[in-house]
Structure formats: structure tokens, C-alpha cells
Amino acid sequence: MSISRKVLESLNSLGVTLAAKPDFPIPVLPREITDLDDESLMDLFVQFNQWNNHLSDARAIAVINEREAERSLETAEAQAMLASWAGNNKDRVAVSKASRAADPKVVELKEDVDTKYAFRKLIETRAEDVERDSQVVSRELTRRTSDYSGGFRARARKFTT
């Protein structure tokens, strides 16, 4: 059983669940965000936050999976080195390293580590994009709630992103 699966089971036993994938696509930040009415703006903010929660959890799982793959690779490299060792001091370090690097299991595990690394980087990038868009919406919400003059909302300070 993978480490991430064990961790998820432990969290579930404590009643902690990860954020589910929202049933809608990641929203697109409108170019004219100030044109949105208050309800639409708040809905957009909620959508970004739901995606941000989901992507943050996915990023954590990706990091755990990547670390697990690295550990499997280290173990396979050590096993390959022990299997190729002839038991004498004449074995050269370079030959031992080359033998270990060429071991089919080590090659396969290195590819797995690289794949998990790439996946994590893509998840991180997407999560950062969603977070930045969420911050823009949050700033617009803050601007609107602090933009009262004489009991009504002044829309004179309209801006675009």
C-alpha cells in the first residue's frame, strides 16, 4: 500500500477529508471584473476557493507520491549495487555506479520519479494560477466593501485587471 493511501486512510479515520474536485471547470478570470454584479463576484470567489482547496490537497498528495518514488528508487539503487558487488576492493566505483544506473528496475524507477516530479510541478503551477486569480477577486470584493460614501456604493474607482 502506498504511503499516500495510508495517510488518506489515517485522515479519514480522524474524520478529515480532502477537498473534492469541484463539479465545474476552473473559472476564467474576467478581464472586466468590475462589470460583475456583487452576487456574481462572490460566486466567482467561491469557485476559485473551491478549486484552490482541491489543488492544494492534490499538490500535497503529489509531493508525498514523489517522495515515495524517490525512496523506492534509492532502495532499488542500493539493491542493484549489492547485487553487482563482486566482494573485492578491485571493483571500481565508476563501474559499480554504471552497473547500478543501467539496472532495468532502477531505470524504471527513475522514470517514475521524473513523472511524479513533473506532475507535482504542473499541479503547483496550476494551483498558483488559481490562487492569484482568487486574490484578484478578493481585492475587488474588498474594494467594493470599503467603497461606501454617504450610504451608497461609489463605483467611480472602477478598474480593470
Side-chain angles (χ1 to χ4, degrees), residues 43-101:
D43 183 56
L44 183 63
F45 186 61
V46 168
Q47 288 179 39
F48 275 123
N49 279 322
Q50 287 176 348
W51 268 103
N52 195 27
N53 292 342
H54 173 66
L55 290 171
S56 293
D57 290 346
R59 179 178 21 200
I61 290 170
V63 169
I64 292 167
N65 288 341
E66 182 183 4
R67 180 161 173 90
E68 182 178 6
E70 289 170 347
R71 193 73 62 219
S72 295
L73 173 60
E74 290 169 7
T75 300
E77 286 176 331
Q79 289 170 342
M81 185 169 66
L82 289 172
S84 68
W85 185 54
N88 60 44
N89 290 335
K90 293 182 183 177
D91 285 343
R92 299 187 53 94
V93 172
V95 172
S96 177
K97 278 183 154 183
S99 173
R100 182 175 67 235

